[in-house]
Amino acid sequence: VSGKKPNIIVFLVDDMGWQDTSHPFWSDSQGTPKKTFLNRRYRTPNMEKLASQGMTFTDAYAHPLCTPSRVSLMSGMNPARHRVTCWVREQNGTTDANSRSLLPPDWALNGLQPIGTPARGTTKRPISGEDMRYHMTRPFATAVTLPEMLKKCGYVTVHCGKAHFGTQGTPGSNPLNMGFDYNIAGTEIGHPADYRGSRHYGKGFNHVRGLDENNYYQDDVFLTEALTREAIKRLEAIRTNPREAGKPFYLYMAHYALHSPLDERAYDKRFADAYKNPEDGHKWSRTEKHYSGLIEGMDKSLGDIMKYLREHHLEKNTVLVFMSDNGGLSAEPAWRDGELHTQNAPLNSGKGSAYEGGIREPMIVKWPGVTAAGTICEKPLIIEDFYPTILEMAGIKQYKTVQKIDGVSFMPLLNHTGDPSEGREFYWNFPNLWGNTGPGIGATATIRKGDWKLIYYYESGRKELFNIREDIGETRNCEEQYPKLVKKLSKRLGNYLRKVKAQRPAYKATASPVPWPDEVR
Ligand code: CA
């Protein structure tokens, strides 16, 4: 290995569930990886290949929705601290669902903004570069971002795909303001209006901007493919540019796939129609065919990037991290087949939920010379850990940030030098209402310590306790059986939330804040 810092690729898939792959992330009670019926349904040969060359993480966590996870990845903070606890859209606009009993918290609904951003000013419109005025009358978060740190330390930083960090028209909506040297198609939007090139990636607010200068429209190139080609084109430009070729790169490859829409707008004619074989008696609806096609298209992108690295001898000095930002969608019958909340089985529920289905993610890390091939790590970690870990990968150990970093480096798991999860507590705070309902979905605060997980529902004051090692599907609430443990975990969770000045909803009737988890029995 040369002394050169490694290139780093974070391959982040949107809304990808733990089981949306042919690579198994679930093990039986003996610890042997087992393919589930969903693993047999989907096709991700390149993920399988990546896993055979690297380390599979079975207990990798994110947060229940897009923006909170993405801001945690960019800042190293837990959402309880950064307060971007729900997804962002229009400037000063909330995305909270209406509630009969709760008032939403005063969360950072303008998303993540660069350090020193004034509440009002002028910024460049992403993609077109024209100036636009903004005025943020509602809160936002700030942080020294991960790409900014990497850039300062000599990395060329590339953003490709979905950004979704800050609201429309604000500096944070533009990846170029967030520490990236290059931006491909990243704006404030959280999903594409259309995946099809022939439809110009849709119209209106969610039109994917920045891909109209090539022949993607004319050639009807699917969005996932267009982003992959653009990313590789950028890597090749860096490799052949004398000013950049000597520098390591950071590629944040953030696919719009697998987010809805999943109707004809997600029809990838290269893959979708092949999903018709009723091997397990499964009858494919159009939307499930599209979903499977989106998965396979995403996997092809992974394979194309791996091929590029191999062909240009970059493979040995490149870390490839595969991750998703929240669980697979399972609460919206218009998009998914089958019984609601079963689409991430054996996990219960999905996107938006505090249950494992909403937060447990498919994660793989390949770092030649560090991660042993085909290994499995069952230690838990969480997406804010990426910040300190990636900086450590880049050899950056001493650094100052204005924000307090909640993440803990998982480097010792990669090189087998320790276990940072030992005795650690993991926290989630989602004090908002998403709109959909289902198991574990609602305004919640959650703690995991060891195999135990406690969920507190802000609206009802109800608590649930699960042993997720023995009951991964979270079907046996044992809150009544273990009152002392419930009390202890409630206290730990309450202490953490107060310490980081987390937010909570209030009662509509009285406008007084709802109790912290340790303030109710
Ligand atoms: Ca997402």
Side-chain angles (χ1 to χ4, degrees):
V1 183
S2 71
K4 197 184 161 190
K5 291 174 185 292
N7 305 308
I8 299 164
I9 299 176
V10 171
F11 192 97
L12 187 75
V13 186
D14 197 12
D15 286 12
M16 180 180 179
W18 196 54
Q19 295 295 302
D20 293 340
T21 166
S22 50
H23 177 60
F25 283 86
W26 178 74
S27 303
D28 64 13
S29 54
Q30 316 302 315
T32 310
K34 279 276 152 64
K35 282 205 178 197
T36 62
F37 72 98
L38 290 169
N39 296 148
R40 287 191 293 274
R41 185 171 296 172
Y42 300 123
R43 290 175 207 143
T44 58
N46 294 297
M47 278 183 74
E48 290 179 47
K49 186 189 272 183
L50 182 67
S52 75
Q53 299 170 350
M55 186 178 269
T56 292
F57 287 83
T58 61
D59 287 42
Y61 287 110
H63 298 281
L65 291 181
C66 306
T67 316
S69 284
R70 286 157 195 266
V71 172
S72 289
L73 169 58
M74 285 284 276
S75 70
M77 289 185 275
N78 184 278
R81 192 189 297 276
H82 65 57
R83 297 182 168 192
V84 189
T85 48
C86 201
W87 62 286
V88 299
R89 190 178 148 93
E90 287 161 321
Q91 200 177 134
N92 305 320
T94 185
T95 53
D96 284 292
N98 280 324
S99 162
R100 254 178 290 171
S101 63
L102 294 184
L103 292 170
D106 190 23
W107 60 288
L109 55 74
N110 277 308
L112 184 66
Q113 302 290 335
I115 291 286
T117 300
R120 63 197 299 173
T122 306
T123 189
K124 295 266 183 234
R125 190 185 286 271
I127 312 298
S128 68
E130 64 190 280
D131 288 337
M132 66 192 304
R133 296 166 70 87
Y134 70 90
H135 184 193
M136 289 186 282
T137 56
R138 303 294 303 276
F140 54 89
T142 60
V144 180
T145 68
L146 176 62
E148 199 176 331
M149 292 290 291
L150 291 167
K151 189 173 164 172
K152 269 189 214 155
C153 295
Y155 275 73
V156 183
T157 54
V158 181
H159 180 282
C160 182
K162 168 171 161 173
H164 206 217
F165 306 129
T167 47
Q168 185 186 32
T170 63
S173 69
N174 187 349
L176 296 180
N177 294 328
M178 303 299 280
F180 288 102
D181 293 310
Y182 299 100
N183 172 34
I184 302 158
T187 63
E188 67 279 357
I189 69 170
H191 66 82
D194 201 306
Y195 283 96
R196 296 168 299 178
S198 60
R199 302 303 167 101
H200 300 197
Y201 309 123
K203 292 193 174 74
F205 185 91
N206 287 306
H207 163 62
V208 180
R209 306 195 293 277
L211 296 168
D212 43 18
E213 281 175 13
N214 298 286
N215 288 331
Y216 297 137
Y217 296 168
Q218 194 182 311
D219 300 345
D220 191 15
V221 177
F222 202 74
L223 179 57
T224 310
E225 176 72 21
L227 293 174
T228 309
R229 290 187 197 171
E230 289 298 306
I232 288 174
K233 209 192 281 178
R234 176 51 59 194
L235 293 187
E236 187 57 8
I238 292 168
R239 198 182 68 85
T240 53
N241 176 347
R243 285 186 297 109
E244 294 178 329
K247 294 182 172 186
F249 65 77
Y250 172 63
L251 169 63
Y252 178 59
M253 186 72 202
H255 274 295
Y256 282 99
L258 324 168
H259 201 296
S260 60
L262 302 174
D263 55 14
E264 292 307 306
R265 292 173 283 176
Y267 174 43
D268 188 341
K269 53 186 191 289
R270 300 173 300 169
F271 304 112
D273 295 325
Y275 290 87
K276 57 189 171 192
N277 188 3
E279 270 173 36
D280 57 355
H282 182 68
K283 287 199 174 63
W284 299 92
S285 71
R286 288 295 295 176
T287 55
E288 281 304 312
K289 282 185 181 189
H290 296 154
Y291 193 69
S292 306
L294 275 179
I295 292 172
E296 194 169 343
M298 169 283 293
D299 185 76
K300 177 189 182 284
S301 168
L302 177 67
D304 289 350
I305 289 171
M306 288 164 71
K307 182 163 171 265
Y308 174 80
L309 296 176
R310 204 165 51 242
E311 285 177 356
H312 296 280
H313 311 290
L314 295 164
E315 197 179 24
K316 280 208 172 80
N317 200 35
T318 301
V319 188
L320 186 41
V321 184
F322 185 101
M323 184 65 172
S324 168
D325 70 338
N326 53 251
L329 185 63
S330 71
E332 295 182 16
W335 300 129
R336 303 301 305 272
D337 282 9
E339 204 182 318
L340 282 176
H341 318 300
T342 63
Q343 286 73 8
N344 300 290
L347 308 184
N348 196 345
S349 204
K351 180 176 182 175
S353 176
Y355 284 180
E356 298 289 294
I359 54 177
R360 197 185 278 225
E361 311 304 333
M363 177 177 162
I364 304 168
V365 179
K366 180 191 173 188
W367 187 357
V370 177
T371 53
T375 48
I376 296 169
C377 179
E378 295 187 321
K379 305 293 180 192
L381 61 86
I382 190 161
I383 197 161
E384 52 263 29
D385 297 346
F386 280 40
Y387 190 106
T389 309
I390 288 172
L391 291 182
E392 196 175 340
M393 286 171 174
I396 307 166
K397 280 181 184 154
Q398 303 286 321
Y399 53 90
K400 274 199 184 127
T401 52
V402 294
Q403 74 270 26
K404 170 92 173 64
I405 307 291
D406 293 296
V408 175
S409 172
F410 54 83
M411 184 72 100
L413 298 179
L414 299 175
N415 59 17
H416 299 285
T417 56
D419 177 8
S421 74
E422 184 79 41
R424 184 176 171 198
E425 292 165 2
F426 293 85
Y427 308 103
W428 292 263
N429 189 40
F430 182 61
N432 306 74
L433 290 169
W434 180 38
N436 291 302
T437 54
I441 301 177
T444 53
T446 303
I447 179 171
R448 176 180 169 176
K449 187 174 171 66
D451 294 341
W452 293 100
K453 184 172 157 190
L454 177 97
I455 303 170
Y456 168 66
Y457 294 83
Y458 282 114
E459 189 160 12
S460 60
R462 199 162 55 88
K463 291 174 190 174
E464 290 177 329
L465 180 73
F466 299 106
N467 183 316
I468 49 174
R469 190 66 59 189
E470 288 171 10
D471 176 25
I472 199 172
E474 291 164 293
T475 55
R476 299 193 299 274
N477 173 16
C478 35
E479 175 246 341
E480 286 188 5
Q481 268 168 274
Y482 299 97
K484 274 188 193 158
L485 183 57
V486 169
K487 197 173 177 189
K488 185 182 143 196
L489 291 176
S490 299
K491 187 78 195 152
R492 301 294 302 167
L493 179 58
N495 283 347
Y496 176 75
L497 294 172
R498 282 185 293 268
K499 188 181 90 182
V500 303
K501 298 186 168 59
Q503 290 174 305
R504 50 184 164 160
Y507 293 118
K508 224 169 198 171
T510 59
S512 58
V514 306
W516 292 119
D518 50 351
E519 292 169 350
V520 291
R521 198 188 62 82

